[in-house]
């Protein structure tokens, strides 16, 4: 598994350089030199090598132990690793790439924690991480579970956006936590992996019967079949892309509405959506959005905010807030 991962990384390296380095610089989003970018790639490679080797090795152990029902055990293994990853990533993985520090005490931090307390989020601090050393993108998240929950925003959001916009974005991120999108995503992932493993079990058998002699791969527990297994997984999830993106857009829309109801900053969130248009096409066609977008388009999000504002124009805080340009 380790050897395959190394070879796969080498083969796909030119595409990674083009996509993640040259294109990012072409659009003025990256702040990294090639050496700095390679440093992060090296870290990601090391982590991926360890994790993929462990996960696939455990799956092959299940294949040998469970026989024809291996794919059911494979599903359980992927769910377990997914939950473990969501728990430890904010505390142990994310700090490998960025430095996390507490946001300085002040009105902004107080308001963020006030909203968190009012929504039942068990976070006692707000962290900022130095994403500006990598790119100009704004970002924030409420991540972790089982005691590792933390509210984080990157320094781009902190320095490039107004306090209203920061609160609006974090209201959205808190929505994911309160609405249990992590749990729902785990359930959705479990269902997908169940069908993915069933497809792979069927597909491997069909391919082995057809090409097994020339490939010298005949049984699913043969380590020589690793490339076949991973290729089948890749194909299955590639076909599933529109469904995955539609599910993600639904969760993101729910979080948008939760956020604007929680912090009541429709104009600020609309402005943040415009900032995101630096790297997300603002007004795609409906078909383009349905297939390729894992978030609602900027136009859709701004329209949603203006509908919300239109329904609350007579509320005192909305009346006293900023006036929309139109």
């Amino acid at each position: 598994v380790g050897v395959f991962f190394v070879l796969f990384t080498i083969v796909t390296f030119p595409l990674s350089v083009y996509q993640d380095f040259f294109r990012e610089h072409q659009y003025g989003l990256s702040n990294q030199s090639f050496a700095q970018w390679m440093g992060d790639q090296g870290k990601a490679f090391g982590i991926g090598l360890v994790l993929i080797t462990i996960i696939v090795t455990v799956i092959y152990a299940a294949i040998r132990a469970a026989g024809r029902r291996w794919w059911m055990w494979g599903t359980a293994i992927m769910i377990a690793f997914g939950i473990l990853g969501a728990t430890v990533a904010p505390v142990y993985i994310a700090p490998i790439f960025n430095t996390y520090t507490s946001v300085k005490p002040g009105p902004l931090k107080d308001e963020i924690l006030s909203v968190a307390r009012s929504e039942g989020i068990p976070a006692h601090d707000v962290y900022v991480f130095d994403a500006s050393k990598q790119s100009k993108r704004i970002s924030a998240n409420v991540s972790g579970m089982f005691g590792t929950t933390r509210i984080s925003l990157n320094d781009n959001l902190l320095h490039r956006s107004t306090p209203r916009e920061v609160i609006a974005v974090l209201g959205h991120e808190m929505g994911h936590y309160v609405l249990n999108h992590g749990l729902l995503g785990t359930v959705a992932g479990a269902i997908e992996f169940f069908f993915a493993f069933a497809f792979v079990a069927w597909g491997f058998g069909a391919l082995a019967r057809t090409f097994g002699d020339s490939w010298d791969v005949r049984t699913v527990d043969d380590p020589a079949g690793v490339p076949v297994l991973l290729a089948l997984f890749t194909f299955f999830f590639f076909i599933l892309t529109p469904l995955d993106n539609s599910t993600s857009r639904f969760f993101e829309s729910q979080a948008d509405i939760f956020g604007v109801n929680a912090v009541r900053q429709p104009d600020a969130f609309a402005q943040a959506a415009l900032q995101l248009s630096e790297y997300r096409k603002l007004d795609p066609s409906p078909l383009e959005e349905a297939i390729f977008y894992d978030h609602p388009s900027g136009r859709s999000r701004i329209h949603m905010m203006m509908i919300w504002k239109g329904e609350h124009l007579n509320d005192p805080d909305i009346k006293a807030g900023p006036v929309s340009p139109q």
Side-chain angles (χ1 to χ4, degrees), residues 79-114:
I79 294 171
F81 274 108
I83 294 173
L84 178 63
T87 303
V88 305
V91 179
Y92 298 106
I93 304 298
I96 295 175
F97 298 92
N98 296 97
T99 301
Y100 284 72
T101 57
S102 293
V103 173
K104 293 180 180 179
L108 177 61
K109 184 174 184 177
D110 291 342
E111 186 171 358
I112 293 170
L113 290 175
S114 175

Side-chain angles (χ1 to χ4, degrees), residues 196-276:
F197 273 99
F199 170 79
V200 169
W202 169 83
F204 190 96
L207 290 173
R209 287 190 296 271
T210 305
F211 303 105
D213 290 337
S214 58
W215 290 352
D216 197 21
V217 176
R218 294 177 179 81
T219 58
V220 72
D221 62 346
D222 186 348
V226 166
V228 180
L229 282 180
L230 296 181
L232 287 168
F233 270 112
T234 301
F235 176 77
F236 180 86
F237 284 105
F238 171 73
I239 296 300
L240 221 61
T241 297
L243 176 61
D244 280 343
N245 285 345
S246 296
T247 302
S248 177
R249 284 197 312 276
F250 175 73
F251 287 159
E252 296 296 335
S253 294
Q254 282 191 324
D256 285 352
I257 289 296
F258 177 94
V260 74
N261 280 318
V263 304
R264 301 177 67 83
Q265 296 290 347
D267 290 277
F269 191 83
Q271 190 63 42
L274 287 176
Q275 285 184 281
L276 294 174

Side-chain angles (χ1 to χ4, degrees), residues 41-245:
Q41 293 299 303
K43 294 175 185 177
F45 170 79
I47 295 169
L49 177 63
V50 172
L51 294 180
I52 294 296
T53 301
I54 292 173
I55 292 171
V56 181
T57 299
V58 172
I59 289 175
Y60 266 89
I63 290 174
R64 296 192 176 104
R68 295 182 62 181
R69 295 183 179 180
W70 69 268
W71 55 278
M72 296 184 183
W73 284 96
T75 301
I77 290 167
M78 290 304 300
I79 294 171
F81 274 108
I83 294 173
L84 178 63
T87 303
V88 305
V91 179
Y92 298 106
I93 304 298
I96 295 175
F97 298 92
N98 296 97
T99 301
Y100 284 72
T101 57
S102 293
V103 173
K104 293 180 180 179
L108 177 61
K109 184 174 184 177
D110 291 342
E111 186 171 358
I112 293 170
L113 290 175
S114 175
V115 176
R117 287 192 298 270
S118 70
E119 301 299 338
I121 297 174
H124 306 289
D125 203 352
V126 182
Y127 296 90
V128 58
F129 57 99
D130 56 345
S132 61
K133 72 178 186 180
Q134 286 133 349
S135 79
K136 298 177 182 177
R137 299 168 186 252
I138 64 171
S139 180
N141 59 76
V142 178
S143 56
M145 56 178 62
F146 304 124
T148 64
T149 303
R150 61 165 53 181
I151 300 172
S152 306
L153 64 152
N154 71 18
D155 55 350
N156 291 322
L157 178 63
L158 187 62
H159 298 140
R160 295 186 60 198
S161 304
T162 67
R164 287 178 181 267
E165 290 160 8
V166 172
I167 291 294
V169 171
L170 283 172
H172 163 92
E173 297 301 333
M174 292 179 193
H176 285 305
Y177 183 91
V178 176
L179 297 172
N180 291 314
H181 286 167
L183 175 60
L184 293 174
T186 299
V187 172
I191 295 171
E192 287 188 1
F193 273 116
F194 178 83
F195 286 104
F197 273 99
F199 170 79
V200 169
W202 169 83
F204 190 96
L207 290 173
R209 287 190 296 271
T210 305
F211 303 105
D213 290 337
S214 58
W215 290 352
D216 197 21
V217 176
R218 294 177 179 81
T219 58
V220 72
D221 62 346
D222 186 348
V226 166
V228 180
L229 282 180
L230 296 181
L232 287 168
F233 270 112
T234 301
F235 176 77
F236 180 86
F237 284 105
F238 171 73
I239 296 300
L240 221 61
T241 297
L243 176 61
D244 280 343
N245 285 345

